[in-house]
Amino acid sequence: MTIVRQLTTITGRLIADTGKLIADMGIERRTFLQQVGLALLTLGIGETGIKPYLQVLAQPTKRKLALLVGINEYPQDRALSGCVTDVELQKELLIARFGFHPKDILTLTDRQATRENIETAFVEHLSEQAQADDVVVFHYSGYGSQVKIPISSQDEAVQTPYQLVDSLVPTDGILPTKGMPAANDLLAETLFWLGRSLSTNKLTVVLDTSFGKAKQLLRGNLHVRSFSRIAERPNPEELAFRERLKRRIASKSSTKANPGIILLAAGKNQEAAEAQWQGFSAGLFTYALTQYLWQATPASKIQIALQRATETVEHFMGQQQRPSQIGATKPLLTYYLIPSNSTGAEGVVTEVENNSSLTAKLMGLPIKVLDNYGVNSCLTLVFATQSTESSSTFPPVAAIKKDVWLQIRSRDGLTAKAQLVGMLPPTENIEVGQLLQEFIRVLSCDLGLSVALDSNLARIERVDATSAFANIAAVSSVTTAGEHQADCVLAKVKQNSSAMTEINASQTSQETETASASYGLFSAGGALIPNTVGKSNEAVKAAVSRLTPHFNTLLAAKWLELTVNEGSSRLKVEATLESAEKKSSSLLRRATLRSSPTSIELWDKLSAKSSSPSGTVELPILTKGTRARFRLANYGDRPLYVLLLGIDSDGNAITLYVPQAKEIVDNKPKLKDILLSPKQTLIIPEPEDSLNWKIAGSAGIAEIYLIFSIQPFQQTLKALSTKQNLKLVQEQVLNIINPLEVARALLQDLHRASAVPSTITGSNADVYALDVNAWATLNFVYKVA
């Protein structure tokens, strides 16, 4: 019995075509398409933007097949920890948001994922079943490597008698041979020919791995997915399989060349990484991509999804890991599909114990938010309401029971145990697969930084550093790199370059003892945090003390990240970062996905600038000195208050404000709230203002947070004014010298605006409880050059 027949005894099919789906709904095709058009128009999509979507819906709905591979178990102490989680993340997303039938998704994990099993599964589950226009997804998480393939050449000038070929390392990737090791890898070229063997060109390949020899298994505090060896030769059986595959494809009368699109977690000569959080590990790229797709509505182009994933990855890794794509030069829908459920979500019900207790997976929350998501947080149940022929909206429509919600009682990583609050109508039941949307976000006030000590530090250095951190209020825990989750890494670096951007992977503790070295702070992924490297021969205790202001800024930035709720906020706002030069242009746009009018055409125009010719996704680039501005829009029916905070490319906390937001009281300057009236658009700074916001700072990554609230920012503005002389560092920009005080004041203001009753938060008063109806935080990430 073949592997596919062993693992999938019954192969189900989705509804064969849209006609059958429409018949099941009891409406006519013409009415169905008219309703779709009306629904899309309400989202701000013009006639030109509607046509591609109606064309997709008018075509028969084909089958959706997926093969998902994740390998944690490797020999020789090379185990990974997040690859099986990647498979779970991808599988739940495909089922809940893209309408894949569970029986059409085949997973191979750990010992199942041998080279032969992966290739056999691809042939039998995908190639032999997929028909023209069917949708196919292949996902791989595990080690990548390279294999030497001999080159037969009579040219004596050829110095290298082999070529290096990228490969995927299966669980049996190392052959027990004498002498130099042979690889039992699945060659990247074999995967290419497997893709060409499909009858459909709607193939998406996701590779959360990287190729080339890794210098070390840790990058900062994260594990890399590049193997630490280059194999001297491939397995002859792999070469024979590849040749048979090529001959079989060549014998076909019609073959689709280069089908589909490949999404790579890292570019050439880069390293993909996986991170560990509280209760689970996952690939940075897979979590970032799937998390965005859980919330994206109504449909996301792959270029947009990839750009959003890149923002998350570069936050951890800097320039060391940049996702890229191969193929599909024109904009395409992610997985070639419009989500089968048009409602974005933060979670999904996975188990129902009774109609009041259940288990859920919280896969749609930003990773930093999930890692700090507190007990008593609440989510609403999403019910699908069946529309009639006279309805003007596309079924199913999200129906929220505002007097009924789920409250989290415990959480372990992605998995939460929840209790129903309120009474469901007799006609409604909680079902497995039901989507959940965030309602109340509960965060502990007792939040601190976790600092990892680089493993290259000598034992005495680690002991002294741990002792010194006991006196740093912003730091709550200290660990050794690679053992637990960490926000940053303390490492010792050589003073051999004026441009130190990452931890020297090859240096050892002995080398740093003899070389002129100093201490610096790095991101969890090993990217240097600006302006943190001290003088040479500095004592580690002195370094920790010197870095105290940086720890305060990092903790303030962590608090800001925990307020981001673009996907779940119910406020109807959007913001655009624009160049204010003579030829003004829109650079980056953010909107509350669940509430604001969203123009897919505008997204397409902005995303066209995000990819380089090599396929690597680029963040927007603003050169130093460029005049910039924000365009804010309030589509709601109530006034909102706006605050602009950020971390510039030098690692400094900053705030942006307008001249009208400052007044003199008792001969002292005082900041005022920026008010955004209902249905109003506001530009900051206004074009006619004599003052300008000019991009400043060193080359690097900057991030701006736009926070909207239904109540004034009383405590935040007080904190901004208390220790400031309000002298401009540059026009429109104010450096914040007390960032942690400001960040905590911001959380207090949002907590007050939310006014969550104590019946939800319980007896624990040391929490911030934030209602998605009371605030929205949009974040903008860009590069300064």
Side-chain angles (χ1 to χ4, degrees), residues 623-626 648-650 693-698 702 730 733 782 784:
T623 57
K624 185 176 180 179
T626 299
D648 68 16
S649 57
D650 286 324
W693 168 37
K694 293 184 179 180
I695 301 299
S698 306
Q730 65 172 71
V733 179
Y782 58 90
V784 177

Side-chain angles (χ1 to χ4, degrees), residues 79-81 143 214 216-226 271-277 280-285 312-318 320-321 367-368 452 454-455 480-489 503 522-527:
L80 295 169
S81 57
Y143 277 120
Q216 61 179 14
L217 294 181
L218 279 181
R219 169 74 66 179
N221 193 54
L222 309 185
H223 290 266
V224 300
R225 290 181 174 179
S226 296
E271 294 175 332
E274 64 176 29
Q276 52 186 329
W277 292 281
F280 75 104
S281 297
L284 278 180
F285 177 64
T312 300
V313 170
E314 290 203 19
H315 178 83
F316 289 89
M317 297 291 290
Q320 300 165 136
Q321 179 182 345
I367 187 58
K368 290 289 186 72
D454 182 47
S455 58
T480 300
E483 292 184 355
H484 301 286
Q485 180 271 344
D487 298 297
C488 58
V489 180
I503 296 174
F522 296 80
S523 72

Side-chain angles (χ1 to χ4, degrees), residues 514-536:
T514 58
S516 177
S518 58
Y519 298 95
L521 281 179
F522 296 80
S523 72
L528 180 66
I529 297 174
N531 301 317
T532 61
V533 177
K535 296 180 180 179
S536 60

Side-chain angles (χ1 to χ4, degrees), residues 662-671 721-722 724-726:
K662 187 177 73 172
E663 63 179 350
I664 303 298
V665 178
D666 297 331
N667 295 322
K668 295 181 180 180
K670 179 182 178 181
L671 295 177
S721 301
T722 299
Q724 306 293 344
N725 58 19
L726 295 184

Side-chain angles (χ1 to χ4, degrees), residues 195-253:
R196 289 194 61 183
S197 71
L198 296 168
S199 298
T200 179
N201 62 354
K202 294 181 178 179
L203 166 67
T204 302
V205 175
V206 182
L207 300 179
D208 198 341
T209 187
S210 48
F211 308 105
K213 183 178 179 180
K215 296 179 181 179
Q216 61 179 14
L217 294 181
L218 279 181
R219 169 74 66 179
N221 193 54
L222 309 185
H223 290 266
V224 300
R225 290 181 174 179
S226 296
F227 211 60
S228 57
R229 63 97 175 101
I230 294 178
E232 292 297 316
R233 59 187 185 277
N235 185 353
E237 294 182 4
E238 167 70 358
L239 297 178
F241 173 80
R242 184 188 64 182
E243 293 306 313
R244 292 195 301 272
L245 189 63
K246 291 169 67 174
R247 288 195 298 269
R248 184 161 66 247
I249 293 173
S251 66
K252 293 184 178 180
S253 56

Side-chain angles (χ1 to χ4, degrees), residues 96-97 290-297 341-348 361-365 379-380 382 434-438 567-568 594:
R97 294 244 46 210
T290 56
Q291 184 270 322
Y292 174 72
L293 292 174
W294 270 101
Q295 294 187 329
T297 55
N341 194 317
S342 60
T343 302
E346 282 69 59
V348 62
K361 296 285 189 181
L362 305 179
M363 298 176 172
L365 290 168
L379 300 101
T380 54
V382 179
Q434 196 161 355
L435 299 183
L436 305 173
Q437 293 183 344
E438 185 178 29
S568 62
R594 205 153 288 163

